[in-house]
Amino acid sequence: MAIRTRGALDGIPTYVPGRSAESVAHEHSIDDVVKLASNEAPFPPLPAALEAIADAAGSANRYPDDGAGALCEALSEACGVDADQVLVGNGSVELCRQALAATVDPGDEAVFGWPSFEAYPILAQQVDAHIARVPLRDHRYDLDAIADAVTERTRLVFVCNPNNPTGTVVDRAAADRLLARVPADRLVVFDEAYREFVTAPDTPDGVELLRHHENVLVLRTFSKAYGLAALRVGYAISRPDVIDALRKVRVPFGVNGLAQVAARASLGAQDQMRARVDSVIAERARLFAAIAELGLPVVESEANFLWIDLPTEAVALGAYSERRGVVLRSFADVGVRVTIGAAEENDRLVSVLRAAIDEGIVSQSS
Ligand code: PMP
């Protein structure tokens, strides 16, 4: 007999991760598949992180530091906040879940832009939140419309900045306008998973916003710029009582010991991270120009990926590209997201896009 589970489970969408290079290689019998589907770094963890992981591996029989004290201390120094303003989680996606679980009672609302990070609606529905999805404007979070969507029942607002999947950012004035309108007892989460890739000077820094608006929670991660996606470590910064609330709904021992030492070692090598991120930013400009030159509707990005605004052709392009050994992320009827890879990988992507145009899979917009 079927076990009685919550009725709400039926409505929860399933998270669809980018396909692995291995599965695509196997399906299409191709040797060298390039994965540009999950916004990962094209380089391995920093040398200091690899060393720290190797050193700590032998102690894996012991539980990790449950409070990740040393890492929180290092993050508080790096971000210029107190240690009790920092919480680490099993990836920043886990901290998104904790932010919802700490603020939402069944029937309360979570508001975010759309399309945006696919995990938001999944996590919101896990806690029985009502969801208000506010359409992007010009591929960008429309913070005035988000402020309009906030109601008495709203408990949490996500601002994904830069936005995944479109790569756009909001500016400081728009962020301030939003924060002036959202009641001070509702949490506004600035999800800055791609913060390190931002070059647009007017982009707000969540930690700076927190100094002026106490209802801000900032989320960042070691998965992208630091290349530690497999280890699962992200962090939240807010005021101490908000951090305490998130701590209440965490899973004990949620951040593993190897992740803690690798993240700490990475923080100590920020110059090396910066050099790598700068190379991704340079590749982003080169790839943007190449895709624009092909006449495809590509959007300027502040993250480590580009958005190609091809709603009707998204699925066909994704499938075509996989058959040629380049894994992209296509969102049916929405568009296609491509991660900035290493230079050769990006070159392969451009050839596949060119071939897709030649074969009529996609059409040029200009
Ligand atoms: N926020 C955004 C906007 C993301 O794109 C991602 C990763 N796809 C995350 C959070 C979660 O990253 P992680 O859990 O690896 O820290």
Side-chain angles (χ1 to χ4, degrees):
M1 195 184 285
I3 298 296
R4 290 193 188 194
T5 54
R6 285 166 52 206
L9 299 194
D10 291 338
I12 301 181
T14 305
Y15 185 77
V16 184
R19 285 190 71 189
S20 73
E22 290 73 24
S23 76
V24 172
H26 184 256
E27 183 184 334
H28 299 294
S29 307
I30 311 172
D31 288 338
D32 54 339
V33 171
V34 167
K35 184 187 177 201
L36 301 176
S38 299
N39 299 345
E40 295 151 335
F43 29 71
L46 293 165
L50 287 175
E51 211 172 294
I53 293 165
D55 285 350
S59 311
N61 55 314
R62 301 289 175 194
Y63 282 97
D65 173 3
D66 189 29
L71 177 56
C72 287
E73 193 64 47
L75 282 166
S76 79
E77 265 172 46
C79 300
V81 297
D82 294 335
D84 61 359
Q85 294 188 267
V86 183
L87 183 67
V88 293
N90 186 40
S92 56
V93 70
E94 163 62 9
L95 294 159
C96 291
R97 186 195 65 75
Q98 286 172 242
L100 285 158
T103 54
V104 169
D105 275 318
D108 286 341
E109 280 168 6
V111 180
F112 43 84
W114 200 254
S116 192
F117 183 30
E118 275 184 294
Y120 297 155
I122 298 173
L123 301 172
Q125 283 176 251
Q126 286 177 1
V127 296
D128 282 325
H130 284 163
I131 293 172
R133 298 180 208 228
V134 178
L136 304 184
R137 176 195 280 258
D138 290 337
H139 308 295
R140 196 174 302 276
Y141 258 63
D142 181 349
L143 296 189
D144 299 313
I146 290 209
D148 291 341
V150 169
T151 70
E152 191 45 48
R153 294 303 298 269
T154 303
R155 293 291 174 272
L156 180 146
V157 175
F158 280 117
V159 179
C160 190
N161 200 44
N163 185 42
N164 174 10
T166 54
T168 53
V169 287
V170 296
D171 63 24
R172 175 69 197 250
D176 281 332
R177 278 201 311 279
L178 173 75
L179 290 163
R181 287 184 61 196
V182 175
D185 58 354
R186 319 300 165 83
L187 193 61
V188 182
V189 178
F190 280 81
D191 181 346
E192 297 186 337
Y194 303 95
R195 164 87 205 156
E196 293 85 351
F197 300 95
V198 172
T199 54
D202 199 23
T203 309
D205 171 330
V207 177
E208 175 59 23
L209 289 177
L210 172 63
R211 295 188 208 290
H212 298 91
H213 307 276
E214 286 204 307
N215 54 338
V216 165
L217 175 89
V218 187
L219 297 180
R220 294 186 183 162
T221 182
F222 286 90
S223 296
K224 312 294 178 182
Y226 289 99
L228 294 179
L231 287 185
R232 317 298 308 121
V233 54
Y235 57 102
I237 298 179
S238 191
R239 53 188 228 210
D241 59 331
V242 171
I243 292 297
D244 279 343
L246 264 67
R247 200 178 275 123
K248 291 255 182 191
V249 292
R250 83 200 169 96
V251 173
F253 300 111
V255 181
N256 74 76
L258 301 186
Q260 292 185 31
V261 294
R264 239 177 100 202
S266 300
L267 273 182
Q270 292 205 41
D271 291 353
Q272 291 170 26
M273 177 276 282
R274 206 53 255 168
R276 288 173 164 198
V277 165
D278 286 346
S279 74
V280 171
I281 291 170
E283 272 299 294
R284 176 174 79 199
R286 193 178 72 88
L287 187 59
F288 175 87
I291 298 176
E293 176 75 29
L294 290 175
L296 296 180
V298 60
V299 174
E300 294 257 20
S301 168
E302 294 291 324
N304 67 339
F305 52 85
L306 292 169
W307 180 244
I308 311 178
D309 184 21
L310 286 172
T312 49
E313 295 137 317
V315 170
L317 178 59
Y320 176 90
S321 182
E322 276 185 14
R323 289 198 298 278
R324 275 148 194 80
V326 178
V327 194
L328 315 173
R329 193 66 206 283
S330 52
F331 297 85
D333 303 320
V334 189
V336 175
R337 191 191 70 199
V338 296
T339 303
I340 314 296
E344 328 70 79
E345 296 175 327
N346 301 332
D347 289 343
R348 256 186 80 184
L349 168 66
V350 173
S351 343
V352 167
L353 293 175
R354 188 175 295 117
I357 293 168
D358 291 346
E359 294 190 32
I361 305 294
V362 292
S363 42
Q364 289 153 303
S365 59
S366 52

